[in-house]
Amino acid sequence: MVTKKARIEQHSPRDAAMTETITIRRPDDFHHHCRDQPITQAVLKHAVPRFARCMMMPNLVPPVTTVQLALEYKERIMSAMPPEPHAKFQPLMSLYLTDKTDPEEIRKACALKNEDGTPTVIACKYYPSGATTNSASGVTDYKNLFPVLEAMQELGMMLCIHSEVTHGDIFDREPAFIDEIMKPIVAKFPKLKIVMEHISTKAAVDYVLSAPDNLKASITPQHLMYNRNHLLVGGIKPHLYCLPILKAEVHRVALVEAATSGNPKFFLGTDSAPHVTYRKESACGCAGVFSAHAAIEFYTQVFEEEGKLDKLEDFCSSYGADHYGIPRNTETITLEKKAWKVPAQYQFGEHPLTPLQAGEEIPWSIVGLEKVPGV
């Protein structure tokens, strides 16, 4: 039975080599870019086999700023589901905060429930204006959000934050955000539930560890697997360019230690972002890494290399759901130590997309999906 610890098995079928499998509760992704049609359908083809739930980012054009827009977006997502879903899948919706967000919109969002009683709109997203993709409508001054944050704190709504300022050295923008914005928000709203998304520095790890339990953090696969040398040495690698940008090795090591530690302050959020190849390989250099095609396999590889496969399930499948106050999933997935090669490209609408580790072999494969025994 898989409840608290992942089940890791080794077996040697007759006349076959030793194989290794790991079975964990089916994961959730609390930071996923699904975009809009026709790209949505291509994204879901990869996300649905790996995740039971994905929190869909609201930075569309125009952004998802109201409950009505969130419901319309959810309907478009459900209409784009693969014709034969691998398993039940639920999109978790979020609202895009602006300087003019009305606290009444937060109350409307919190009143809206799915059939199973879980929130339809599970969080609000704080993009500093100009910090990342489609963030021009974001917040210009965190103090403009005080009435909204007061309502969110009162109602228990999650605040998800792209935790970077928009000034200064690009490698220092996350620590600057902690000092200039995060600490004042936490001090003023001590009961507000917060996620620092896609943390990328040792400073963020240290801050999350020292902060009260209402503040936790998500970590992407790319920030666990790569540092800025991978991005820059031998020529710029546009498909590794994301925001927050990859940092020095000392920061990657700190993130790996945090993710694999078993500390419930850290959980899965891929920030998988589909940008077609010609837009990544252009002068504009769109920021974002597409990892949905192999996200769980990437995390499994990282945890295996650290000798921490027993911590994988909690990071991928438990701590995020617990922080958001929703039930843990009742299905499992099984991965096998069986290598497969990532295609050089996937087709996304009219254009190809280059995925993370395109053309490379990944050592783990998803081979099974079933119900958690006894649940």
Side-chain angles (χ1 to χ4, degrees), residues 293-305:
H293 63 294
I296 300 305
E297 297 93 319
F298 290 141
Y299 285 115
T300 303
Q301 181 179 347
V302 170
F303 277 68
E304 180 194 27
E305 289 171 353

Side-chain angles (χ1 to χ4, degrees), residues 121-198:
V121 178
I122 199 168
C124 292
K125 180 66 180 274
Y126 175 172
Y127 291 102
S129 181
T132 189
T133 304
N134 297 342
S135 62
S137 300
V139 178
T140 62
D141 185 336
Y142 74 96
K143 294 177 183 177
N144 294 335
L145 288 181
F146 281 0
V148 170
L149 299 183
E150 185 66 48
M152 292 176 65
Q153 177 175 251
E154 174 191 341
L155 297 166
M157 173 72 84
M158 188 73 69
L159 174 67
C160 298
I161 306 183
H162 182 109
S163 308
E164 291 188 292
V165 296
T166 56
H167 59 265
D169 191 291
I170 193 170
F171 292 103
D172 297 330
R173 291 181 176 184
E174 187 174 85
F177 187 96
I178 292 171
D179 289 335
E180 297 175 22
I181 300 174
M182 186 66 74
K183 289 180 179 178
I185 287 177
V186 171
K188 186 169 181 63
F189 302 98
K191 296 182 180 180
L192 179 63
K193 296 170 67 175
I194 301 173
V195 178
M196 283 186 67
E197 295 190 318
H198 47 48

Side-chain angles (χ1 to χ4, degrees), residues 26 34-37 39-45 47-48 51-56 60 69-93 114-116 120:
R26 194 168 170 215
C34 206
R35 303 296 192 230
D36 223 335
Q37 299 283 26
I39 288 180
T40 300
Q41 188 169 33
V43 171
L44 291 172
K45 184 170 66 175
V48 170
F51 301 108
R53 298 170 292 211
C54 288
M55 189 172 77
M56 301 305 183
L60 305 183
L69 289 173
L71 291 175
E72 292 171 3
Y73 185 31
K74 182 179 181 180
E75 185 175 334
R76 294 196 299 276
I77 291 170
M78 296 307 296
S79 70
M81 285 287 289
E84 296 181 5
H86 296 255
K88 186 178 179 182
F89 176 83
Q90 185 178 62
L92 304 172
M93 309 313 294
N114 296 314
E115 291 181 2
D116 61 2
T120 301

Side-chain angles (χ1 to χ4, degrees), residues 286-349:
C286 296
V289 170
F290 183 75
S291 61
H293 63 294
I296 300 305
E297 297 93 319
F298 290 141
Y299 285 115
T300 303
Q301 181 179 347
V302 170
F303 277 68
E304 180 194 27
E305 289 171 353
E306 295 299 306
K308 296 290 185 66
L309 280 175
D310 61 317
K311 308 292 187 185
L312 179 68
E313 178 179 85
D314 282 338
F315 177 84
C316 294
S317 316
S318 302
Y319 294 151
D322 294 349
H323 188 45
Y324 277 84
I326 58 178
R328 296 179 180 184
N329 295 313
T330 59
E331 295 171 320
T332 66
I333 59 169
T334 296
L335 297 104
E336 182 178 314
K337 193 71 177 294
K338 181 172 66 175
W340 62 282
K341 189 174 182 179
V342 178
Q345 293 182 323
Y346 291 110
Q347 196 66 27
F348 271 55

Side-chain angles (χ1 to χ4, degrees), residues 53-71:
R53 298 170 292 211
C54 288
M55 189 172 77
M56 301 305 183
M57 291 293 100
N59 58 331
L60 305 183
V61 180
V64 181
T65 55
T66 67
V67 170
Q68 183 60 39
L69 289 173
L71 291 175

